Amino acid sequence: MKTQILDTATELFLNLGFKSVTMDDLSEHMGISKKTIYAHFKNKTDLVDQCTMGLFHKISHGIDCICDLGKNPIEELYEIKKFAMLHLKNEKTSPQYQLRKYYPAIFQRLQQKQFDVMQQCVVRNIRRGMEMGIYRANLNVDFVARIYFTGVTSLKDETLFPKNLLSQTELMDMYLEYHLRGIVTPKGRNVLNNIINSNCE
């Protein structure tokens, strides 16, 4: 039952927002009593925390699986972006923004975990790209990885990127291209252009 509650709550939080969904909404949606929910979770904050960390681990595992495929580093970043956006429901309700506003302690913990995972993944990606000659040989790997993380997290800030400006999918596509064009070699640019052109078809 706990797994069912977590799955349903995560779905509702992503589609409607952390603030909007109440414990009453969840019990009504599932056709169970609030007492059943509270048998597994102390309160809504505990539920939000477990949903957030559960989704984080699910996405991290998926990213690890993509990295294990040994794809071209440029293609790998596009696959990771596609996978993350699919599981975050394209962030229709800006859950990261709501998490930061209403559950700052959970947000801080999540961001640190995201940084650790993404730093490791992106550093590995950059080094592989440099070895293959599709990323420039003179890159400061740690700097590029940190700048990439900073950019990705900034896209979720609605004060910088209001929802009516561009969708999260459009923002991520534009940012990923922006990031890659700054680090690719001419050989890598050909790979990037092929990927972009095939995505447009």
Side-chain angles (χ1 to χ4, degrees):
M1 178 53 76
K2 183 176 181 178
T3 303
Q4 288 174 272
I5 295 170
L6 278 172
D7 289 345
T8 305
T10 301
E11 189 81 13
L12 289 172
F13 287 145
L14 287 175
N15 284 315
L16 303 171
F18 288 108
K19 177 69 172 170
S20 308
V21 179
T22 65
M23 297 300 244
D24 285 316
D25 293 330
L26 180 58
S27 69
E28 188 179 330
H29 188 85
M30 292 190 72
I32 59 175
S33 67
K34 278 203 295 184
K35 188 178 176 182
T36 304
I37 299 172
Y38 286 119
H40 299 282
F41 305 95
K42 287 182 288 186
N43 48 40
K44 185 181 173 183
T45 301
D46 183 33
L47 177 63
V48 168
D49 187 33
Q50 292 196 46
C51 285
T52 303
M53 293 307 152
L55 184 61
F56 165 77
H57 289 300
K58 186 177 182 179
I59 291 174
S60 296
H61 175 68
I63 289 173
D64 286 342
C65 290
I66 291 170
C67 292
D68 288 344
L69 296 174
K71 286 178 178 280
N72 172 295
I74 296 174
E75 190 181 354
E76 180 179 272
L77 287 182
Y78 273 94
E79 287 297 317
I80 289 171
K81 185 230 27 155
K82 193 190 303 178
F83 173 80
M85 294 305 286
L86 177 70
H87 283 274
L88 293 172
K89 313 292 182 191
N90 292 331
E91 302 207 340
K92 289 182 282 190
T93 55
S94 305
Q96 290 258 46
Y97 175 79
Q98 289 196 13
L99 201 62
R100 182 173 60 183
K101 188 173 182 181
Y102 302 109
Y103 300 93
I106 297 173
F107 175 80
Q108 288 293 337
R109 195 154 61 90
L110 175 66
Q111 192 164 52
Q112 184 58 54
K113 283 177 171 289
Q114 287 175 327
F115 174 77
D116 293 340
V117 167
M118 191 179 283
Q119 186 76 356
Q120 189 179 24
C121 172
V122 176
V123 163
R124 194 166 57 233
N125 180 280
I126 295 166
R127 286 186 176 141
R128 278 207 308 125
M130 290 166 76
E131 286 166 11
M132 292 171 66
I134 58 174
Y135 294 163
R136 290 190 286 112
N138 63 343
L139 296 174
N140 181 315
V141 176
D142 188 59
F143 171 77
V144 173
R146 286 171 184 271
I147 283 291
Y148 181 72
F149 177 79
T150 304
V152 167
T153 50
S154 294
L155 296 181
K156 298 175 179 71
D157 187 338
E158 286 191 12
T159 56
L160 292 172
F161 298 98
K163 279 195 288 187
N164 62 346
L165 190 69
L166 288 165
S167 71
Q168 274 294 313
T169 304
E170 290 171 317
L171 282 172
M172 273 305 302
D173 279 337
M174 291 171 71
Y175 181 68
L176 189 50
E177 182 180 351
Y178 174 83
H179 162 74
L180 286 165
R181 289 205 183 279
I183 65 173
V184 293
T185 60
K187 179 182 172 183
R189 194 178 306 120
N190 289 335
V191 175
L192 176 60
N193 288 338
N194 287 336
I195 290 172
I196 291 171
N197 291 335
S198 66
N199 287 343
C200 290
E201 289 171 2

